[in-house]
Amino acid sequence: MTRTASYHHGDLRQEAHQLALDTIRDQGDTAISLRALAKQLGVSAPALYRHFADRESLLAALAVSGFEELRERLLAVDQRVPRRALIDIGLVYVGFAQDEPNLYRLMFGGRVLPKGVHPKLDEAGHGAFKVLENTIARAQQVGYLKPMPVALMTAAAWSLVHGLAQLSIDGHLPGAKAEPLMAEGVLSLLLDGSLSDSESTSHKEIEQ
Amino acid sequence: MTRTASYHHGDLRQEAHQLALDTIRDQGDTAISLRALAKQLGVSAPALYRHFADRESLLAALAVSGFEELRERLLAVDQRVPRRALIDIGLVYVGFAQDEPNLYRLMFGGRVLPKGVHPKLDEAGHGAFKVLENTIARAQQVGYLKPMPVALMTAAAWSLVHGLAQLSIDGHLPGAKAEPLMAEGVLSLLLDGSLSDSESTSHKEIEQ
DNA sequence: TGATTAAGTTAACGGTGGTAACATTGTTAA
DNA sequence: TTAACAATGTTACCACCGTTAACTTAATCA
């Protein structure tokens, strides 16, 4: 902490990480330049290369931070009542994206994560994903959800919240004001279905 | 077509657009540089600025092309049977993303479309969206879907297919081989719901 | 203490988006 | 027909970027 204004910086890696995180938060990833970061940190640009292989690795590290925070938020959801747990975890997910749109875009923009390039990133992403999956598995175990492959329901749930998140932060959902309500309604649809009563009465899976 | 090798190029705007489209298709938007494009077109870089205000405007024009093709594909879906129309339009949507992952990412990466910057882009996006909305409205009119705000169901459907598309092209859906089946199953869940029979028998919307 | 290593430095390369000032061509009106 | 004008090219340049190479300083450890 006590910057001695000497040759060695002391904690460059973490300070760069933090500054980059702040920058990305309110300006997006395109605004991040290693040279600019270095200047703000009072250090030469190549110094950063001692701590990050390249620009993309830095961005990947930031994305990891994002996934970690997302995971923590998801873990904080009350799991006692299956329906509320499922709805709430969706709302928390979308809420994270709305709170940190630029970070969220970095995490899922497909710009950093061709999967396999940065193992730590894959791991962090999987960690967040796992929380969602566990919630679903639990709901199914107590008989709240239909018997079906967990992977199927997880894919559906993740797709829905991810799509909702992305469309929301890009301003593509009309009711900007009523969005929390909208989100809850959308999530409910995945649980309750959207067919009219006359179509869904009893089990009419085979209709041909 | 007959390049006269003269000072004026003749059709630079369209040729640049096409070349950029091809480039983005198999290399992604980061691979697009105005200078490189100009070189390939046998023209100086600033010449392109006669036809595109800046790099972002070019990308926006490409995204417009993407939305137009997406719209055409969606329009080709058979609308006669509500359930199949709804499922198929979802499959076509996801199929487009899988066929053109880089173009899709450009269209929805949030990189070009802060909405309002490029009106033509907003318009093209809305055009594609409208097809989905119409399909849903029609299904509801014939009594296939629950009575509810069309905007709600549209948001749900769009979120679901968009999320599915994005997760699919980023390789986040496990069963890469069984993905068409997976997609159909996921889409069905939004229609039929995911609650177990004991939870969904009759109308138990109020459970407290 | 002296050698090794970690973590900085300056200098430089090639590439980028973008602007300014100028040149050429096609078009249009006197 | 030609003179003016607008459209569409050109070269020269700017500031910035990511990145590497070669060198310097400081900390660590045998």
Side-chain angles (χ1 to χ4, degrees):
Chain A
M1 285 298 173
T2 61
R3 294 285 311 285
T4 58
S6 64
Y7 197 87
H8 281 70
H9 185 284
D11 200 0
L12 185 53
R13 157 128 203 162
Q14 181 180 328
E15 281 195 31
H17 183 104
Q18 187 57 48
L19 178 57
L21 201 50
D22 294 345
T23 304
I24 218 174
R25 272 191 160 106
D26 54 68
Q27 297 189 252
D29 69 283
T30 56
I32 289 213
S33 110
L34 293 188
R35 296 180 102 107
L37 281 178
K39 185 176 288 184
Q40 291 184 70
L41 292 165
V43 101
S44 73
L48 294 175
Y49 285 83
R50 297 285 173 196
H51 305 281
F52 303 96
D54 51 22
R55 192 187 114 106
E56 203 188 83
S57 295
L58 168 58
L59 294 182
L62 301 181
V64 168
S65 294
F67 278 116
E68 286 169 351
E69 195 197 319
L70 173 58
R71 177 166 180 274
E72 279 172 26
R73 290 203 195 188
L74 295 180
L75 278 173
V77 170
D78 188 334
Q79 295 279 347
R80 285 173 299 181
V81 182
R83 184 181 187 91
R84 274 255 58 90
L86 291 168
I87 297 283
D88 283 349
I89 210 168
L91 291 178
V92 165
Y93 188 103
V94 175
F96 171 80
Q98 288 170 335
D99 288 347
E100 300 284 2
N102 287 323
L103 197 51
Y104 188 85
R105 265 192 279 262
L106 173 69
M107 292 157 61
F108 287 102
R111 187 155 260 70
V112 196
L113 49 156
K115 214 175 191 201
V117 183
H118 298 101
K120 282 203 169 184
L121 181 55
D122 299 347
E123 200 180 312
H126 192 71
F129 168 79
K130 215 61 195 291
V131 180
L132 178 60
E133 192 176 51
N134 285 344
T135 303
I136 288 169
R138 210 169 294 134
Q140 201 181 34
Q141 278 159 19
V142 300
Y144 186 73
L145 295 177
K146 272 181 191 158
M148 60 174 147
V150 175
L152 181 67
M153 182 62 188
T154 308
W158 194 16
S159 294
L160 189 63
V161 293
H162 176 61
L164 208 44
Q166 184 120 11
L167 296 178
S168 167
I169 66 181
D170 284 348
H172 290 310
L173 293 186
K177 36 185 173 286
E179 252 178 43
L181 300 176
M182 165 87 89
E184 175 140 6
V186 165
L187 295 170
S188 297
L189 278 182
L190 181 60
L191 297 178
D192 300 326
S194 46
L195 300 188
S196 67
D197 293 344
S198 61
E199 293 289 338
S200 62
T201 40
S202 77
H203 325 83
K204 59 161 311 194
E205 51 258 22
I206 312 108
E207 63 177 43
Q208 170 217 359
Chain B
M1 286 296 175
T2 61
R3 297 283 311 285
T4 57
S6 63
Y7 198 87
H8 282 70
H9 185 284
D11 199 1
L12 185 53
R13 157 131 203 161
Q14 180 179 329
E15 282 194 32
H17 183 104
Q18 187 57 49
L19 178 58
L21 200 50
D22 294 344
T23 304
I24 217 174
R25 274 192 158 104
D26 53 69
Q27 298 188 250
D29 69 282
T30 56
I32 289 212
S33 112
L34 293 188
R35 298 178 100 101
L37 281 179
K39 186 176 287 183
Q40 291 183 70
L41 292 165
V43 100
S44 73
L48 294 175
Y49 286 85
R50 296 285 174 196
H51 303 281
F52 303 96
D54 51 22
R55 192 186 114 105
E56 205 189 82
S57 294
L58 169 57
L59 294 182
L62 301 181
V64 168
S65 295
F67 278 116
E68 286 170 351
E69 196 198 319
L70 174 58
R71 177 165 179 275
E72 280 173 24
R73 290 203 195 187
L74 295 180
L75 279 174
V77 170
D78 187 335
Q79 294 280 347
R80 285 174 299 182
V81 182
R83 184 180 188 92
R84 274 255 57 89
L86 290 168
I87 298 283
D88 283 351
I89 210 168
L91 292 177
V92 165
Y93 188 103
V94 175
F96 172 80
Q98 289 169 337
D99 289 347
E100 301 284 3
N102 287 323
L103 196 52
Y104 189 84
R105 265 192 278 264
L106 173 70
M107 292 157 62
F108 286 102
R111 187 156 259 68
V112 195
L113 48 156
K115 211 171 192 204
V117 183
H118 298 102
K120 282 203 169 183
L121 181 55
D122 299 347
E123 200 181 313
H126 192 72
F129 168 79
K130 215 60 194 291
V131 180
L132 177 60
E133 192 176 52
N134 285 344
T135 304
I136 287 169
R138 210 169 293 133
Q140 199 181 35
Q141 277 158 20
V142 300
Y144 185 73
L145 294 176
K146 272 181 190 156
M148 59 174 148
V150 175
L152 181 68
M153 181 62 187
T154 308
W158 194 17
S159 294
L160 190 63
V161 294
H162 176 61
L164 208 46
Q166 184 121 10
L167 295 178
S168 166
I169 66 181
D170 283 349
H172 291 311
L173 294 186
K177 35 185 175 287
E179 252 179 43
L181 299 175
M182 166 86 89
E184 176 139 5
V186 164
L187 295 171
S188 297
L189 279 182
L190 181 59
L191 297 178
D192 301 326
S194 46
L195 299 188
S196 67
D197 292 343
S198 62
E199 293 290 338
S200 62
T201 41
S202 77
H203 326 84
K204 58 161 312 193
E205 50 257 24
I206 312 107
E207 62 176 45
Q208 168 221 358

